[in-house]
Amino acid sequence: ASRERFADLGGFELEPRAKKILSGLAFRESDFDRPARTLSGGWIMRAHLARLLAMEPDLLMLDEPTNHLDLESLTWFQNYLKNYPGAILTISHDREFLNQLVDSIIEIRNGRLDRYRGNYDSFLEQRAAREEQHLAAYANQQRDLQRLQDFVDRFGAKASKASQAQSRLKQIERMEKIEAPVQENRRIRFQFPQPSRTGQKVLSLKQIHHAYGDLVVYRGIDLELERGDRIVLVGPNGAGKSTLLKILAGVLPVQKGERVVGLNVKVGYYSQQRVDTLDERRTVLEEALDSARGVKEQDARSILGSFLFRDDDVFKRVSVLSGGEKSRLALVKLLLDPPNLLLMDEPTTHLDIASIDALVGALEQFQGTVAFISHDVHFIRSIGRKVLHVHSGKLTSYAGNYDYYLEKSAATSERAALTAGGATAATVQVKSERPAPAASHYKSREQRRQEAEERESGAKGRREWERNVARIEAKIIELEKELTSLTAKLELPETYEDSAKTVAVNKDLTRVTSELEAAETQWEELASQTVPK
């Protein structure tokens, strides 16, 4: 009986599921029995993540879960979560991850929680529309308040008009005031310094060999970077991407072969660990301005603010900064005194979405050559123009962007699969943007019978739930149309020719806004309910 109970609860599936999850997060089979204390910090975080996924809690809460994942592990993780049976609450700065996974966004802003339906791109559109409506309603109310106040100021002292002035003063007092919109400057309006021009050939690797002891990473590879290249390095974890970037940067000495730096080339290398060049005695602002060319203090403070050094943070000593803060400061320094060959290893890890946008904006201006590693697909698509696939000590170049790489590598993998007579691991990896099939679970006869009864009894409840959702959504659409119409009326000069008409429009606007908020609350309550199967 206990064995059957164990089977009914999915006990026999636990170890295979755990191994599948560990493999998806790029653990090798030889790592499965390793003590956790022998792992690095990033791998320990992956192990914690694997444990949570194997437990399958009803509510999975994830704070920046993609930080320690490479691109291929991230793709697997993203697709695994698409089929996750429970609810997920996550914080993430990875825009593509949010677009692929979430169906609701909660924005924390100015001490408020505002909820939006849809993914991140949909949230941006809805927020822009809300801000536009808020700004129009605020401007209209301010004009109305000013007109009423002008009447009070002009006729308040006249006996014949005193009662009308008092009436308008009470009207001002009773009016529910619309808060002034808070305008946020989300993009840096700053012309970043530009590096000197290089020759056409920026850097070449010729017959490079590299090994860590007995582990051979590269055996005779060639690579050439040309002026203006924007190359993203992709490939499985442990393939040697970071090693290749360090060889290009000169951080790792060439063991065998030749590294040739082109004419007038200044190399800049950024990684999470590359913070040893910072002067810990200086403040953040002093360090940012140290080598910046012709950058004003106010501009430097604006740029630091965009990279999460806000207000008095710029006066912190470098010595008290966390590792993530030092990494961000090192990134700012590179942008304010840019090399003409910029090599970056995971530059978005410690940034929020607005800071990533700021980095993208800076790199869009950059006139030098870029090679980088990233697991942020939005960042890759924004910056990468060529793809270099690193795998098993071999380099494969794709003369197109990330989507071009996905298309071409998928076609190559499909041909290889047909030749081999079946699907290959590469095919699975390349096509992993599609949702992975849901994990199968063993069910007893009693479980299947209970599930059939639940489906039958839940059908009626689901139909009722769907009718309620449709009714509320129809109401929201009508109220939004009415809100748009009233806002348009407030922008017409003739609305203010008749004070009674002005008051009526404002009254209707208040009513519709209140009803719309109530309807959206009802919709959210319905959406949060467990829907009958």
Side-chain angles (χ1 to χ4, degrees), residues 112-133:
R112 289 173 46 115
L113 298 180
D114 292 313
R115 188 163 183 170
Y116 298 81
R117 299 188 296 275
N119 63 12
Y120 188 79
D121 285 345
S122 175
F123 150 72
L124 291 178
E125 294 175 2
Q126 292 177 64
R127 184 176 66 177
R130 279 194 193 182
E131 288 177 345
E132 188 176 344
Q133 290 176 354

PDB file of all heavy atoms in Angstrom, residues 112-133:
ATOM      1  N   ARG A 112       2.780  53.146  -5.474  1.00  0.00           N
ATOM      2  CA  ARG A 112       1.543  52.479  -5.914  1.00  0.00           C
ATOM      3  C   ARG A 112       1.864  51.150  -6.582  1.00  0.00           C
ATOM      4  O   ARG A 112       2.957  50.948  -7.090  1.00  0.00           O
ATOM      5  CB  ARG A 112       0.789  53.355  -6.925  1.00  0.00           C
ATOM      6  CG  ARG A 112       0.140  54.593  -6.363  1.00  0.00           C
ATOM      7  CD  ARG A 112      -0.415  55.427  -7.524  1.00  0.00           C
ATOM      8  NE  ARG A 112      -1.139  54.599  -8.482  1.00  0.00           N
ATOM      9  CZ  ARG A 112      -2.455  54.710  -8.709  1.00  0.00           C
ATOM     10  NH1 ARG A 112      -3.167  55.589  -8.052  1.00  0.00           N
ATOM     11  NH2 ARG A 112      -3.039  53.935  -9.585  1.00  0.00           N
ATOM     12  N   LEU A 113       0.858  50.278  -6.578  1.00  0.00           N
ATOM     13  CA  LEU A 113       0.920  49.040  -7.350  1.00  0.00           C
ATOM     14  C   LEU A 113      -0.113  49.141  -8.462  1.00  0.00           C
ATOM     15  O   LEU A 113      -1.305  49.264  -8.198  1.00  0.00           O
ATOM     16  CB  LEU A 113       0.612  47.819  -6.478  1.00  0.00           C
ATOM     17  CG  LEU A 113       1.563  47.519  -5.307  1.00  0.00           C
ATOM     18  CD1 LEU A 113       1.086  46.283  -4.564  1.00  0.00           C
ATOM     19  CD2 LEU A 113       2.979  47.313  -5.795  1.00  0.00           C
ATOM     20  N   ASP A 114       0.340  49.119  -9.700  1.00  0.00           N
ATOM     21  CA  ASP A 114      -0.575  49.181 -10.844  1.00  0.00           C
ATOM     22  C   ASP A 114      -0.445  47.887 -11.639  1.00  0.00           C
ATOM     23  O   ASP A 114       0.675  47.473 -11.995  1.00  0.00           O
ATOM     24  CB  ASP A 114      -0.244  50.371 -11.743  1.00  0.00           C
ATOM     25  CG  ASP A 114      -0.543  51.694 -11.072  1.00  0.00           C
ATOM     26  OD1 ASP A 114      -1.647  51.806 -10.497  1.00  0.00           O
ATOM     27  OD2 ASP A 114       0.313  52.596 -11.093  1.00  0.00           O
ATOM     28  N   ARG A 115      -1.577  47.264 -11.930  1.00  0.00           N
ATOM     29  CA  ARG A 115      -1.571  45.976 -12.623  1.00  0.00           C
ATOM     30  C   ARG A 115      -1.998  46.148 -14.081  1.00  0.00           C
ATOM     31  O   ARG A 115      -2.927  46.905 -14.388  1.00  0.00           O
ATOM     32  CB  ARG A 115      -2.517  44.999 -11.925  1.00  0.00           C
ATOM     33  CG  ARG A 115      -2.434  43.579 -12.465  1.00  0.00           C
ATOM     34  CD  ARG A 115      -3.056  42.602 -11.512  1.00  0.00           C
ATOM     35  NE  ARG A 115      -2.922  41.234 -11.965  1.00  0.00           N
ATOM     36  CZ  ARG A 115      -3.209  40.181 -11.229  1.00  0.00           C
ATOM     37  NH1 ARG A 115      -3.629  40.335  -9.990  1.00  0.00           N
ATOM     38  NH2 ARG A 115      -3.077  38.962 -11.699  1.00  0.00           N
ATOM     39  N   TYR A 116      -1.307  45.443 -14.956  1.00  0.00           N
ATOM     40  CA  TYR A 116      -1.588  45.478 -16.387  1.00  0.00           C
ATOM     41  C   TYR A 116      -1.728  44.043 -16.893  1.00  0.00           C
ATOM     42  O   TYR A 116      -0.962  43.164 -16.498  1.00  0.00           O
ATOM     43  CB  TYR A 116      -0.449  46.160 -17.150  1.00  0.00           C
ATOM     44  CG  TYR A 116      -0.213  47.607 -16.775  1.00  0.00           C
ATOM     45  CD1 TYR A 116       0.516  47.946 -15.644  1.00  0.00           C
ATOM     46  CD2 TYR A 116      -0.722  48.637 -17.558  1.00  0.00           C
ATOM     47  CE1 TYR A 116       0.738  49.269 -15.304  1.00  0.00           C
ATOM     48  CE2 TYR A 116      -0.500  49.962 -17.234  1.00  0.00           C
ATOM     49  CZ  TYR A 116       0.229  50.275 -16.099  1.00  0.00           C
ATOM     50  OH  TYR A 116       0.451  51.589 -15.758  1.00  0.00           O
ATOM     51  N   ARG A 117      -2.691  43.818 -17.777  1.00  0.00           N
ATOM     52  CA  ARG A 117      -2.855  42.500 -18.376  1.00  0.00           C
ATOM     53  C   ARG A 117      -1.956  42.387 -19.610  1.00  0.00           C
ATOM     54  O   ARG A 117      -1.835  43.333 -20.381  1.00  0.00           O
ATOM     55  CB  ARG A 117      -4.321  42.273 -18.777  1.00  0.00           C
ATOM     56  CG  ARG A 117      -5.283  42.315 -17.610  1.00  0.00           C
ATOM     57  CD  ARG A 117      -6.682  41.891 -18.049  1.00  0.00           C
ATOM     58  NE  ARG A 117      -7.268  42.802 -19.019  1.00  0.00           N
ATOM     59  CZ  ARG A 117      -7.931  43.909 -18.686  1.00  0.00           C
ATOM     60  NH1 ARG A 117      -8.061  44.238 -17.414  1.00  0.00           N
ATOM     61  NH2 ARG A 117      -8.456  44.676 -19.609  1.00  0.00           N
ATOM     62  N   GLY A 118      -1.347  41.214 -19.778  1.00  0.00           N
ATOM     63  CA  GLY A 118      -0.509  40.990 -20.947  1.00  0.00           C
ATOM     64  C   GLY A 118       0.961  40.878 -20.580  1.00  0.00           C
ATOM     65  O   GLY A 118       1.336  40.897 -19.410  1.00  0.00           O
ATOM     66  N   ASN A 119       1.817  40.763 -21.612  1.00  0.00           N
ATOM     67  CA  ASN A 119       3.249  40.615 -21.380  1.00  0.00           C
ATOM     68  C   ASN A 119       3.920  41.987 -21.268  1.00  0.00           C
ATOM     69  O   ASN A 119       3.243  43.017 -21.178  1.00  0.00           O
ATOM     70  CB  ASN A 119       3.897  39.749 -22.471  1.00  0.00           C
ATOM     71  CG  ASN A 119       3.786  40.386 -23.850  1.00  0.00           C
ATOM     72  OD1 ASN A 119       3.437  41.560 -23.997  1.00  0.00           O
ATOM     73  ND2 ASN A 119       4.089  39.613 -24.871  1.00  0.00           N
ATOM     74  N   TYR A 120       5.255  42.011 -21.301  1.00  0.00           N
ATOM     75  CA  TYR A 120       5.956  43.275 -21.034  1.00  0.00           C
ATOM     76  C   TYR A 120       5.740  44.298 -22.148  1.00  0.00           C
ATOM     77  O   TYR A 120       5.519  45.487 -21.872  1.00  0.00           O
ATOM     78  CB  TYR A 120       7.460  43.009 -20.839  1.00  0.00           C
ATOM     79  CG  TYR A 120       8.190  44.248 -20.383  1.00  0.00           C
ATOM     80  CD1 TYR A 120       8.148  44.644 -19.052  1.00  0.00           C
ATOM     81  CD2 TYR A 120       8.894  45.039 -21.280  1.00  0.00           C
ATOM     82  CE1 TYR A 120       8.785  45.793 -18.628  1.00  0.00           C
ATOM     83  CE2 TYR A 120       9.544  46.190 -20.863  1.00  0.00           C
ATOM     84  CZ  TYR A 120       9.485  46.557 -19.535  1.00  0.00           C
ATOM     85  OH  TYR A 120      10.123  47.708 -19.130  1.00  0.00           O
ATOM     86  N   ASP A 121       5.791  43.876 -23.400  1.00  0.00           N
ATOM     87  CA  ASP A 121       5.562  44.821 -24.498  1.00  0.00           C
ATOM     88  C   ASP A 121       4.158  45.409 -24.424  1.00  0.00           C
ATOM     89  O   ASP A 121       3.953  46.610 -24.675  1.00  0.00           O
ATOM     90  CB  ASP A 121       5.771  44.128 -25.855  1.00  0.00           C
ATOM     91  CG  ASP A 121       7.244  43.910 -26.168  1.00  0.00           C
ATOM     92  OD1 ASP A 121       8.087  44.526 -25.489  1.00  0.00           O
ATOM     93  OD2 ASP A 121       7.542  43.124 -27.089  1.00  0.00           O
ATOM     94  N   SER A 122       3.172  44.574 -24.081  1.00  0.00           N
ATOM     95  CA  SER A 122       1.799  45.053 -23.924  1.00  0.00           C
ATOM     96  C   SER A 122       1.717  46.049 -22.772  1.00  0.00           C
ATOM     97  O   SER A 122       1.026  47.068 -22.864  1.00  0.00           O
ATOM     98  CB  SER A 122       0.864  43.868 -23.676  1.00  0.00           C
ATOM     99  OG  SER A 122      -0.444  44.306 -23.412  1.00  0.00           O
ATOM    100  N   PHE A 123       2.440  45.766 -21.688  1.00  0.00           N
ATOM    101  CA  PHE A 123       2.478  46.687 -20.540  1.00  0.00           C
ATOM    102  C   PHE A 123       2.998  48.060 -20.957  1.00  0.00           C
ATOM    103  O   PHE A 123       2.450  49.098 -20.557  1.00  0.00           O
ATOM    104  CB  PHE A 123       3.354  46.073 -19.447  1.00  0.00           C
ATOM    105  CG  PHE A 123       4.060  47.063 -18.572  1.00  0.00           C
ATOM    106  CD1 PHE A 123       3.352  47.811 -17.638  1.00  0.00           C
ATOM    107  CD2 PHE A 123       5.433  47.248 -18.676  1.00  0.00           C
ATOM    108  CE1 PHE A 123       4.009  48.734 -16.829  1.00  0.00           C
ATOM    109  CE2 PHE A 123       6.087  48.160 -17.874  1.00  0.00           C
ATOM    110  CZ  PHE A 123       5.377  48.902 -16.948  1.00  0.00           C
ATOM    111  N   LEU A 124       4.066  48.100 -21.754  1.00  0.00           N
ATOM    112  CA  LEU A 124       4.618  49.378 -22.193  1.00  0.00           C
ATOM    113  C   LEU A 124       3.591  50.189 -22.976  1.00  0.00           C
ATOM    114  O   LEU A 124       3.449  51.405 -22.786  1.00  0.00           O
ATOM    115  CB  LEU A 124       5.868  49.154 -23.041  1.00  0.00           C
ATOM    116  CG  LEU A 124       7.118  48.621 -22.327  1.00  0.00           C
ATOM    117  CD1 LEU A 124       8.244  48.412 -23.329  1.00  0.00           C
ATOM    118  CD2 LEU A 124       7.559  49.576 -21.224  1.00  0.00           C
ATOM    119  N   GLU A 125       2.857  49.517 -23.864  1.00  0.00           N
ATOM    120  CA  GLU A 125       1.831  50.200 -24.660  1.00  0.00           C
ATOM    121  C   GLU A 125       0.706  50.719 -23.774  1.00  0.00           C
ATOM    122  O   GLU A 125       0.259  51.865 -23.923  1.00  0.00           O
ATOM    123  CB  GLU A 125       1.272  49.246 -25.727  1.00  0.00           C
ATOM    124  CG  GLU A 125       2.272  48.842 -26.783  1.00  0.00           C
ATOM    125  CD  GLU A 125       1.706  47.812 -27.735  1.00  0.00           C
ATOM    126  OE1 GLU A 125       0.505  47.449 -27.582  1.00  0.00           O
ATOM    127  OE2 GLU A 125       2.440  47.352 -28.638  1.00  0.00           O
ATOM    128  N   GLN A 126       0.231  49.872 -22.853  1.00  0.00           N
ATOM    129  CA  GLN A 126      -0.863  50.275 -21.968  1.00  0.00           C
ATOM    130  C   GLN A 126      -0.448  51.412 -21.044  1.00  0.00           C
ATOM    131  O   GLN A 126      -1.214  52.345 -20.805  1.00  0.00           O
ATOM    132  CB  GLN A 126      -1.332  49.081 -21.133  1.00  0.00           C
ATOM    133  CG  GLN A 126      -2.013  47.981 -21.926  1.00  0.00           C
ATOM    134  CD  GLN A 126      -2.366  46.810 -21.038  1.00  0.00           C
ATOM    135  OE1 GLN A 126      -3.184  46.929 -20.125  1.00  0.00           O
ATOM    136  NE2 GLN A 126      -1.743  45.667 -21.283  1.00  0.00           N
ATOM    137  N   ARG A 127       0.793  51.345 -20.527  1.00  0.00           N
ATOM    138  CA  ARG A 127       1.244  52.399 -19.627  1.00  0.00           C
ATOM    139  C   ARG A 127       1.357  53.734 -20.366  1.00  0.00           C
ATOM    140  O   ARG A 127       0.978  54.785 -19.826  1.00  0.00           O
ATOM    141  CB  ARG A 127       2.600  52.035 -19.004  1.00  0.00           C
ATOM    142  CG  ARG A 127       3.063  53.070 -17.974  1.00  0.00           C
ATOM    143  CD  ARG A 127       4.350  52.664 -17.306  1.00  0.00           C
ATOM    144  NE  ARG A 127       5.463  52.643 -18.234  1.00  0.00           N
ATOM    145  CZ  ARG A 127       6.718  52.369 -17.870  1.00  0.00           C
ATOM    146  NH1 ARG A 127       6.980  52.067 -16.605  1.00  0.00           N
ATOM    147  NH2 ARG A 127       7.686  52.365 -18.756  1.00  0.00           N
ATOM    148  N   ALA A 128       1.851  53.699 -21.592  1.00  0.00           N
ATOM    149  CA  ALA A 128       1.953  54.933 -22.379  1.00  0.00           C
ATOM    150  C   ALA A 128       0.571  55.524 -22.614  1.00  0.00           C
ATOM    151  O   ALA A 128       0.382  56.746 -22.529  1.00  0.00           O
ATOM    152  CB  ALA A 128       2.656  54.645 -23.709  1.00  0.00           C
ATOM    153  N   ALA A 129      -0.424  54.646 -22.908  1.00  0.00           N
ATOM    154  CA  ALA A 129      -1.793  55.133 -23.136  1.00  0.00           C
ATOM    155  C   ALA A 129      -2.371  55.722 -21.846  1.00  0.00           C
ATOM    156  O   ALA A 129      -3.017  56.783 -21.866  1.00  0.00           O
ATOM    157  CB  ALA A 129      -2.671  53.994 -23.640  1.00  0.00           C
ATOM    158  N   ARG A 130      -2.143  55.043 -20.715  1.00  0.00           N
ATOM    159  CA  ARG A 130      -2.632  55.566 -19.431  1.00  0.00           C
ATOM    160  C   ARG A 130      -2.001  56.914 -19.110  1.00  0.00           C
ATOM    161  O   ARG A 130      -2.673  57.843 -18.640  1.00  0.00           O
ATOM    162  CB  ARG A 130      -2.302  54.581 -18.302  1.00  0.00           C
ATOM    163  CG  ARG A 130      -3.266  53.429 -18.175  1.00  0.00           C
ATOM    164  CD  ARG A 130      -3.051  52.738 -16.831  1.00  0.00           C
ATOM    165  NE  ARG A 130      -3.719  51.453 -16.771  1.00  0.00           N
ATOM    166  CZ  ARG A 130      -3.732  50.672 -15.704  1.00  0.00           C
ATOM    167  NH1 ARG A 130      -3.106  51.052 -14.607  1.00  0.00           N
ATOM    168  NH2 ARG A 130      -4.367  49.509 -15.716  1.00  0.00           N
ATOM    169  N   GLU A 131      -0.700  57.034 -19.354  1.00  0.00           N
ATOM    170  CA  GLU A 131      -0.005  58.282 -19.060  1.00  0.00           C
ATOM    171  C   GLU A 131      -0.537  59.415 -19.933  1.00  0.00           C
ATOM    172  O   GLU A 131      -0.684  60.548 -19.473  1.00  0.00           O
ATOM    173  CB  GLU A 131       1.500  58.098 -19.268  1.00  0.00           C
ATOM    174  CG  GLU A 131       2.152  57.250 -18.190  1.00  0.00           C
ATOM    175  CD  GLU A 131       3.625  57.016 -18.458  1.00  0.00           C
ATOM    176  OE1 GLU A 131       4.070  57.270 -19.594  1.00  0.00           O
ATOM    177  OE2 GLU A 131       4.320  56.573 -17.530  1.00  0.00           O
ATOM    178  N   GLU A 132      -0.822  59.094 -21.196  1.00  0.00           N
ATOM    179  CA  GLU A 132      -1.369  60.107 -22.101  1.00  0.00           C
ATOM    180  C   GLU A 132      -2.749  60.562 -21.628  1.00  0.00           C
ATOM    181  O   GLU A 132      -3.052  61.765 -21.616  1.00  0.00           O
ATOM    182  CB  GLU A 132      -1.452  59.531 -23.518  1.00  0.00           C
ATOM    183  CG  GLU A 132      -1.818  60.549 -24.574  1.00  0.00           C
ATOM    184  CD  GLU A 132      -1.794  59.969 -25.975  1.00  0.00           C
ATOM    185  OE1 GLU A 132      -1.215  58.877 -26.154  1.00  0.00           O
ATOM    186  OE2 GLU A 132      -2.367  60.595 -26.873  1.00  0.00           O
ATOM    187  N   GLN A 133      -3.591  59.605 -21.212  1.00  0.00           N
ATOM    188  CA  GLN A 133      -4.914  59.959 -20.699  1.00  0.00           C
ATOM    189  C   GLN A 133      -4.815  60.762 -19.403  1.00  0.00           C
ATOM    190  O   GLN A 133      -5.537  61.742 -19.208  1.00  0.00           O
ATOM    191  CB  GLN A 133      -5.730  58.685 -20.445  1.00  0.00           C
ATOM    192  CG  GLN A 133      -6.159  57.960 -21.715  1.00  0.00           C
ATOM    193  CD  GLN A 133      -6.891  56.655 -21.409  1.00  0.00           C
ATOM    194  OE1 GLN A 133      -6.983  56.250 -20.258  1.00  0.00           O
ATOM    195  NE2 GLN A 133      -7.407  56.009 -22.439  1.00  0.00           N
TER     196      GLN A 133
END
